[in-house]
């Protein structure tokens, strides 16, 4: 995945598609970080682990807490993965990154399945609110 996405491309995606893209980007970064750690390329692994944490932060910021208990559990899971990556970066611990990669891969797979099974029809007002929210989140630096 490229290091940037054009605003036009982002605005054409639904919030669910953007979440899927963030999962994919984070997985790519984690796989790269694991490879770099195994090669003892700590500069690259640090960069990729920081990018992964940035993505987890954005995913966490995008949680819809009106979804109930699942939102709280997802928040806790994102926090856990973020803390695990910080620890892994400090200790240069490949197994910790692999654990986060496994969790994130399972989340991504589940998310993709949910998208396939969900009706693509959304009330227009909900879609507009989601787009406004995503524009705000994706422009945060």
């Amino acid at each position: 995945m490229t290091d940037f996405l054009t605003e036009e491309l982002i605005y054409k995606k639904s919030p669910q598609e953007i979440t899927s893209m963030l999962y994919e980007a984070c997985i790519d970064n984690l796989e790269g970080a694991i490879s770099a750690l195994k090669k003892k390329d700590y500069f690259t692994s640090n960069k990729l682990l920081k990018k992964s944490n940035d993505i987890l932060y954005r995913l966490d910021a995008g949680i819809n807490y009106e979804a109930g208990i699942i939102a709280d559990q997802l928040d806790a899971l994102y926090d856990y993965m973020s803390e695990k990556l910080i620890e892994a970066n400090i200790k240069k611990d490949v197994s910790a990154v692999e654990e986060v990669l496994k969790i994130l891969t399972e989340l991504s797979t589940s998310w993709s399945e949910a998208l396939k099974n969900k009706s693509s029809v959304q009330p227009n007002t909900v879609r507009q609110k989601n787009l406004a929210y995503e524009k705000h989140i994706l422009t945060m630096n």
Side-chain angles (χ1 to χ4, degrees):
M1 179 170 256
T2 60
D3 286 334
F4 71 96
L5 297 172
T6 65
E7 283 187 37
E8 183 180 346
L9 175 65
I10 290 170
Y11 294 147
K12 289 181 180 180
K13 299 288 183 184
S14 72
Q16 295 81 9
E17 291 171 320
I18 291 171
T19 298
S20 184
M21 291 171 60
L22 288 171
Y23 281 145
E24 290 173 24
C26 196
I27 288 168
D28 289 345
N29 286 329
L30 292 174
E31 289 171 344
I34 291 168
S35 176
L37 282 170
K38 288 180 178 178
K39 295 176 187 172
K40 299 192 184 310
D41 180 358
Y42 300 130
F43 177 80
T44 301
S45 67
N46 177 58
K47 183 175 111 179
L48 293 170
L49 289 172
K50 288 190 331 186
K51 280 185 176 183
S52 297
N53 251 332
D54 288 345
I55 292 170
L56 288 173
Y57 173 78
R58 289 180 187 273
L59 286 165
D60 195 30
I63 293 175
N64 177 1
Y65 287 95
E66 293 176 9
I69 188 74
I70 190 75
D72 294 329
Q73 292 171 338
L74 200 51
D75 177 47
L77 192 55
Y78 288 149
D79 289 346
Y80 172 79
M81 290 188 291
S82 181
E83 289 176 24
K84 201 74 172 166
L85 290 182
I86 291 169
E87 179 185 320
N89 201 3
I90 292 169
K91 295 180 179 179
K92 309 305 179 209
D93 183 359
V94 173
S95 64
V97 181
E98 289 173 336
E99 178 185 346
V100 172
L101 176 61
K102 181 180 179 204
I103 294 168
L104 200 60
T105 301
E106 289 175 14
L107 277 174
S108 179
T109 301
S110 297
W111 186 260
S112 295
E113 285 300 314
L115 283 179
K116 287 178 190 173
N117 295 331
K118 184 180 179 215
S119 169
S120 63
V121 177
Q122 269 187 330
N124 201 26
T125 56
V126 172
R127 178 145 174 81
Q128 288 173 347
K129 285 180 184 178
N130 286 340
L131 287 174
Y133 171 76
E134 290 299 327
K135 288 177 188 177
H136 169 73
I137 291 299
L138 290 170
T139 58
M140 289 177 35
N141 288 329

